[in-house]
Amino acid sequence: KWISPETTDKFRIVYTGIFYKTREPFVFFDALSSLKDIWKDLEVIIAGDMPNDEYRQYAENKGLSEIVRFIGFVPRKRALSLQKGASLLLLIGNGGGIQVPGKVYEYIASRRPILLIKMDSRDIASAVIERFKRGICIENDPQKVSESIVYLYNLWKNKRLDGEFNLEGVDEFSWDRLAKRLEEIIMEITWIRKPFLSD
């Protein structure tokens, strides 16, 4: 079912989901605190159940209450609506090169630009985002994060943000396509193992 985007006239950065100890937003908040020049146009929405107030407290201590809104858990439909209406989606990657956050596929489906903060050089999500030209991938460094936000904000201000990225649908990640690929892998494994099973 089609979900309408929840939009605003501000440069809205959206994060949906929870934060993990290996993927925390502290550097992102540090970067935001240095961008007071664009605060008048900036809004950050964090939608997700936060088990404690650690992140909200950190953002408040950085003086970000004016621009960062923690709205807590929202139904999936609203989360998707926020994603589709965002100017920019925030993604915090995984280090170690062993896992892609499931959120990356959801974000790609929303057809909005993504700002990925990489935990290290082996972050697999960055390969996906770069391959499909869906956004910008940067190191977990306050200066680099703030520079990237300013760059993306300026594109937005000049109505050039969407044109900078490939925001078309990606059929490769549709459920039908993924199910077919899984079936092919299972058949391949079954076929390879058959000779051994007949011994």
Side-chain angles (χ1 to χ4, degrees), residues 5-166:
E6 185 176 319
T7 58
T8 176
D9 59 353
K10 293 199 168 194
F11 181 67
R12 179 184 276 176
I13 301 173
V14 170
Y15 180 90
T16 57
I18 60 174
F19 295 115
Y20 298 91
K21 282 291 170 197
T22 54
R23 294 172 12 217
E24 294 184 302
F26 299 124
V27 166
F28 173 69
F29 292 147
D30 291 344
L32 287 178
S33 67
S34 69
L35 299 178
K36 292 192 174 167
D37 290 352
I38 67 169
W39 278 15
K40 64 183 185 325
D41 282 336
L42 184 61
E43 177 182 54
V44 178
I45 302 285
I46 296 174
D49 199 14
M50 298 295 153
N52 59 53
D53 258 1
E54 180 184 10
Y55 305 118
R56 184 194 309 267
Q57 196 62 56
Y58 190 87
E60 283 175 8
N61 291 345
K62 286 280 174 182
L64 298 171
S65 304
E66 180 182 328
I67 58 163
V68 177
R69 285 178 41 219
F70 288 84
I71 62 173
F73 172 81
V74 296
R76 180 164 169 71
K77 187 175 176 181
R78 171 121 196 258
L80 294 175
S81 181
L82 282 163
Q83 288 172 11
K84 288 175 86 171
S87 309
L88 182 67
L89 295 167
L90 172 66
L91 183 65
I92 299 176
N94 273 331
I98 55 170
Q99 182 193 10
V100 177
K103 191 189 319 296
V104 75
Y105 302 109
E106 204 171 83
Y107 277 10
I108 285 172
S110 72
R111 301 185 181 193
R112 300 306 308 138
I114 300 166
L115 173 64
L116 169 70
I117 299 175
K118 299 190 290 186
M119 290 298 111
D120 64 29
S121 60
R122 294 181 298 167
D123 196 315
I124 304 171
S126 66
V128 175
I129 290 166
E130 286 167 354
R131 177 180 162 207
F132 292 103
K133 201 174 178 255
R134 285 315 251 238
I136 290 181
C137 306
I138 36 112
E139 289 82 27
N140 192 26
D141 171 84
Q143 172 99 21
K144 289 182 177 170
V145 173
S146 62
E147 285 170 0
S148 297
I149 292 170
V150 168
Y151 170 71
L152 294 161
Y153 165 80
N154 285 326
L155 286 173
W156 170 83
K157 194 78 173 158
N158 293 302
K159 301 189 180 342
R160 290 176 37 229
L161 181 63
D162 288 13
E164 195 71 15
F165 303 101
N166 173 21

Side-chain angles (χ1 to χ4, degrees), residues 141-199:
D141 171 84
Q143 172 99 21
K144 289 182 177 170
V145 173
S146 62
E147 285 170 0
S148 297
I149 292 170
V150 168
Y151 170 71
L152 294 161
Y153 165 80
N154 285 326
L155 286 173
W156 170 83
K157 194 78 173 158
N158 293 302
K159 301 189 180 342
R160 290 176 37 229
L161 181 63
D162 288 13
E164 195 71 15
F165 303 101
N166 173 21
L167 302 178
E168 296 299 312
V170 179
D171 186 46
E172 189 173 325
F173 299 131
S174 71
W175 285 115
D176 290 346
R177 191 78 174 267
L178 291 172
K180 180 143 183 59
R181 181 67 187 124
L182 179 61
E183 180 185 16
E184 288 167 0
I185 291 167
I186 290 168
M187 295 302 284
E188 199 175 302
I189 291 168
T190 308
W191 185 83
I192 289 169
R193 293 192 62 193
K194 257 185 195 165
F196 299 106
L197 295 174
S198 61
D199 287 348

